[in-house]
Amino acid sequence: MDGPTTPDFAAARRALTDATRVVVFSGAGMSAESGVPTFRGPDGLWKNFRPEQLATPSAFAADARLVWEWYDWRRRLVSECAPNPGHIAVATAQVVSDKQIHVLTQNVDGLHERALSDLSEATKQGVTELHGSLFRIRCSACPYERPDRQAIDASSFDSLPRCPDCSALLRPGVVWFGEALDEKVLDFSFQAAAEADVCVVVGTSALVEPAASLPRQTAASGGFVIEINLERTPLSGLADAFLPGPSSHWLPRLLTTGE
Ligand code: OAD
C-alpha cells in the first residue's frame, strides 16, 4: 500500500485543508471492514441469490416472504456490526472540524449515523442515506413509514408485518433496483455535490446510477475528487487523487491525523 507521502495523498490533504465544503460519498466498501458484505464482492451472495434478484419490486411481488427473510438476515447481521475506523474518522471530522462535511451514502446499514451519534448528540453535520435504511419499514401500498429494529418473522407469508393503517404488506424502507430515489433527497445530494470543494469517494464500484454521478457533479463544478478504493473504478479517471487501499487505512490519515 502506498504511504501517506505519495503525491496523491499530499494533493488530497492540501485540497481538504483549503476546502470549506466537503462531501463524503460512500458505498459498501466503507462498511466491509465492519463485517458487512459488499454487493459485488466474492462474499456478496446469500443462499445463491444475487442482490439484484431480491432487491426489486417484482421479487417482493413474487415472493415477499423470501425477500423479508433476506432483509431480516441483513438487519440482524448489521445489528451485530460496529462502525470501523473509517466511519469513526469521518464522524470525528464532522464533529471537530469547522468545515461543512456532509455524508452522502449508498449504504443502508446506518453505520455512518451510528458513528456520528456515538460521538455527539447534537451536531449540525449530517448523513443522507440515498438508498434508504435497513432500519426503516414502509407500507407497500400507502405512505405509512416508521423506524423499526425488531426481528421480522418471515417463517410464513401470514407472519409478515402488515400496515397498521391499510393492512397491506409492509416492506423494507430501502430503494430497490428499478425504483426512483426520493426526489428531495436526490436534489439535495446533487446540490451538495455541486457546491462541494472536495468530494471524497469511498468504497463504491460506481456502477449504480444516479448516485454514481454525484462525484461527476463535483468535478463538473470545479471541485476536487479524491477516490479511496481497493481497485480502480469507472470514476478513477476523473479523480484528482486516487488512494489505493482500505478505507480504514486512508480515512483516519486523510481526515484526522494527516500522517
Ligand atoms: P459494490 O459492492 O458494488 O462495490 C464495493 C466497492 O468497494 C468495490 O469497488 C470494492 O473494490 C470496494 N471495497 C471493498 N472493500 C473496501 C475497503 N475495505 N476499502 C475501500 N474500498 C473497498 O457496492 P456499492 O458501490 O456500494 O444499491 O453498490 C452500489 C449500490 O448497488 C448499492 O447501494 C446497492 C447495490 O446493489 C441498491 O440496493 C439500490
Side-chain angles (χ1 to χ4, degrees):
M1 194 182 309
D2 293 0
T5 49
T6 59
D8 274 21
F9 181 79
R13 280 286 297 176
R14 255 194 324 273
L16 280 167
T17 305
D18 295 344
T20 309
R21 291 168 185 233
V22 177
V23 293
V24 176
F25 172 56
S26 66
M30 177 90 213
S31 297
E33 291 157 274
S34 293
V36 183
T38 59
F39 289 94
R40 294 175 181 79
D43 301 325
L45 296 174
W46 177 76
K47 289 189 181 177
N48 295 324
F49 291 101
R50 297 197 159 273
E52 292 84 347
Q53 290 173 280
L54 293 167
T56 67
S58 53
F60 191 73
D63 194 345
R65 196 208 61 74
L66 177 71
V67 172
W68 261 125
E69 188 187 2
W70 182 55
Y71 275 95
D72 184 53
W73 172 77
R74 290 177 64 196
R75 282 155 63 105
R76 277 187 284 119
L77 186 146
V78 167
S79 298
E80 285 159 18
C81 295
N84 67 51
H87 297 107
I88 294 167
V90 173
T92 304
Q94 287 184 288
V95 172
V96 305
S97 169
D98 51 7
K99 300 177 194 304
Q100 186 182 311
I101 305 178
H102 194 90
V103 174
L104 304 172
T105 187
Q106 297 167 92
N107 299 341
V108 293
D109 56 31
L111 291 176
H112 279 293
E113 285 276 10
R114 260 166 68 189
L116 194 55
S117 60
D118 285 352
L119 286 175
S120 163
E121 278 176 13
T123 168
K124 49 186 188 335
Q125 312 273 23
V127 176
T128 297
E129 293 174 317
L130 291 153
H131 292 163
S133 167
L134 286 176
F135 301 107
R136 292 198 73 77
I137 61 180
R138 62 186 172 89
C139 182
S140 56
C142 81
Y144 178 82
E145 177 168 356
R146 67 167 186 248
D148 190 291
R149 290 193 165 263
Q150 311 257 333
I152 302 292
D153 180 355
S155 57
S156 72
F157 182 81
D158 290 339
S159 67
L160 296 179
R162 295 262 165 192
C163 178
D165 288 349
C166 76
S167 304
L169 278 178
L170 290 172
R171 55 160 280 180
V174 298
V175 178
W176 280 331
F177 289 98
E179 292 184 323
L181 273 67
D182 182 281
E183 213 171 299
K184 281 203 194 100
V185 167
L186 204 55
D187 287 350
F188 172 85
S189 302
F190 272 92
Q191 176 142 2
E195 289 172 358
D197 304 306
V198 174
C199 177
V200 187
V201 184
V202 190
T204 177
S205 56
L207 293 171
V208 175
E209 295 292 351
S213 289
L214 288 164
R216 296 187 203 287
Q217 184 74 57
T218 303
S221 311
F224 191 98
V225 176
I226 302 167
E227 184 179 42
I228 299 173
N229 202 305
L230 302 182
E231 57 194 28
R232 293 181 74 81
T233 74
L235 283 179
S236 306
L238 82 89
D240 299 288
F242 180 76
L243 305 178
S247 45
S248 67
H249 170 82
W250 285 116
L251 285 168
R253 288 166 174 79
L254 192 63
L255 297 176
T256 51
T257 63
E259 298 166 352

